[in-house]
Amino acid sequence: MNAAAAYAPLNFTLTGRTALVTGAARGIGHAIAVALGHCGARVALADLDPQAAERAAELLRAQGIEAIGVGVDVAEEQQVQAMVTQVERLFGGVDILVNNAGIVSTAPLLELTTAEWNRVMAIDLNSVFFCVKAVLPGMMDRRAGRIINIASVAGKRGGGLLGNSCYAAAKGAVIALTKGLAREAGPFDITVNAVSPALTDTEMTSVLAPQARAQVLAQMPLGRAGTPRDIAAAVCFLASAEAGFVTGEIMDVDGGFMRD
Ligand SMILES: NC(=O)C1=CN([C@@H]2O[C@H](COP(=O)(O)OP(=O)(O)OC[C@H]3O[C@@H](n4cnc5c(N)ncnc54)[C@H](O)[C@@H]3O)[C@@H](O)[C@H]2O)C=CC1
Ligand SMILES: CC(C)c1ccc(C(=O)O)c(O)c1O
């Protein structure tokens, strides 16, 4: 490395980049969209309810961020393709894809219907396949891109603590997919990583019984739940040019939950 490069300040800005965040109307996805926007990216906020997505985008525009809302059911491949086409038309090619949309299931396996199993797999896992399939060709043509999947400690541990083996199976598969895709996309200078949160305060976890919440918190050395902003900060790092040598990584952002 020459002296100029060695002393150049680190640059985490995303100016000129287009980011697509799924499940961005609220919670972790919304915080990620805001944070990427504050780093300079144009942001497409995708969510199931088009009006909620548009309201969320309006909140970003009020902060001076270039943003659009897009309605999509990420479990539907054709809708995902249409979403990417719309984003590309308005904002140009997707440089940063954040696969965040997800649902949780807490039913013990024997109480789970096949329909619920299929719905969790469709939204938490198939969606990642559909979104990647829609953006990857453009990233490969441009020989650049960042794909960041939101996994879960449940996908690493196998769930169980909260009786959610189905959710854990979907997130475990997202982790494996992240590693496999990193190998496939690496030769095109595209990185593929995951952020793996533990208990984070959002609508998803607001339904947790106080006892279950306390049980999880007791295993977190930092002794508090995560905030959506905690997760967004890790995503911004992985989306930046400075993370160009990080791929196939499953980054725990979990208050120490996964420490041995
Ligand atoms: N909150 C937590 O403690 C943790 C969350 N996660 C993961 O983080 C991600 C975000 O979770 P939260 O913000 O907590 O959830 P949330 O329930 O607060 O927000 C999820 C968003 O995804 C959207 N969404 C759901 N199904 C969709 C579909 N079919 N198509 C498009 N959008 C859809 C919802 O409308 C909502 O806006 C999820 O993948 C979740 O599994 C992982 C570990 C911990
Ligand atoms: C992230 C959520 C609240 C969480 C935390 C811990 C486990 C587990 O260890 O079983 C889960 O399954 C979770 O969904």
Side-chain angles (χ1 to χ4, degrees):
M1 185 186 282
N2 64 31
Y7 286 93
L10 292 174
N11 179 4
F12 293 100
T13 62
L14 299 174
T15 307
R17 301 268 150 63
T18 294
L20 168 59
V21 184
T22 66
R26 67 174 196 228
I28 293 172
H30 190 66
I32 292 169
V34 171
L36 292 173
H38 280 146
C39 289
R42 292 180 286 269
V43 191
L45 295 89
D47 213 289
L48 202 47
D49 172 358
Q51 286 167 343
E54 186 44 37
R55 279 195 301 275
E58 180 54 39
L59 292 170
L60 269 71
R61 288 195 291 268
Q63 301 266 318
I65 297 165
E66 210 179 330
I68 52 167
V70 188
V72 67
D73 181 347
V74 289
E76 297 294 333
E77 185 167 15
Q78 285 184 350
Q79 290 190 31
V80 168
Q81 193 57 61
M83 163 187 73
V84 171
T85 302
Q86 187 184 346
V87 174
E88 285 175 345
R89 185 167 44 82
L90 294 171
F91 274 178
V94 175
D95 303 299
I96 301 159
L97 167 67
V98 184
N99 288 306
N100 165 81
I103 56 169
V104 74
S105 127
T106 51
L109 208 67
L110 290 181
E111 292 169 22
L112 201 67
T113 65
T114 304
E116 282 170 70
W117 170 275
N118 288 339
R119 188 75 187 139
V120 172
M121 291 299 162
I123 296 175
D124 290 1
L125 175 60
N126 296 359
S127 66
V128 179
F129 169 53
F130 298 152
C131 290
V132 167
K133 241 182 132 179
V135 304
L136 196 55
M139 288 181 174
M140 288 165 82
D141 284 347
R142 294 186 296 278
R143 296 195 72 86
R146 296 276 185 268
I147 297 173
I148 300 153
N149 300 323
I150 306 303
S152 168
V153 293
K156 286 193 162 184
R157 275 188 90 250
L161 190 60
L162 302 177
N164 51 3
S165 309
C166 168
Y167 174 71
K171 292 296 187 178
V174 167
I175 288 171
L177 190 56
T178 302
K179 294 178 184 174
L181 270 172
R183 293 200 178 91
E184 289 191 35
F188 297 88
D189 282 337
I190 298 161
T191 68
V192 187
N193 293 290
V195 174
S196 182
L199 176 61
T200 306
D201 279 330
T202 64
E203 272 190 53
M204 180 183 274
T205 47
S206 63
V207 294
L208 269 185
Q211 227 179 341
R213 184 184 167 86
Q215 208 181 343
V216 176
L217 285 178
Q219 293 185 39
M220 291 164 71
L222 291 179
R224 67 164 176 91
T227 64
R229 186 186 173 97
D230 289 325
I231 312 307
V235 170
C236 285
F237 167 66
L238 292 171
S240 75
E242 303 297 355
F245 201 50
V246 181
T247 198
E249 173 65 18
I250 314 301
M251 185 188 283
D252 296 331
V253 182
D254 66 351
F257 183 84
M258 291 301 297
R259 297 289 72 79
D260 299 329

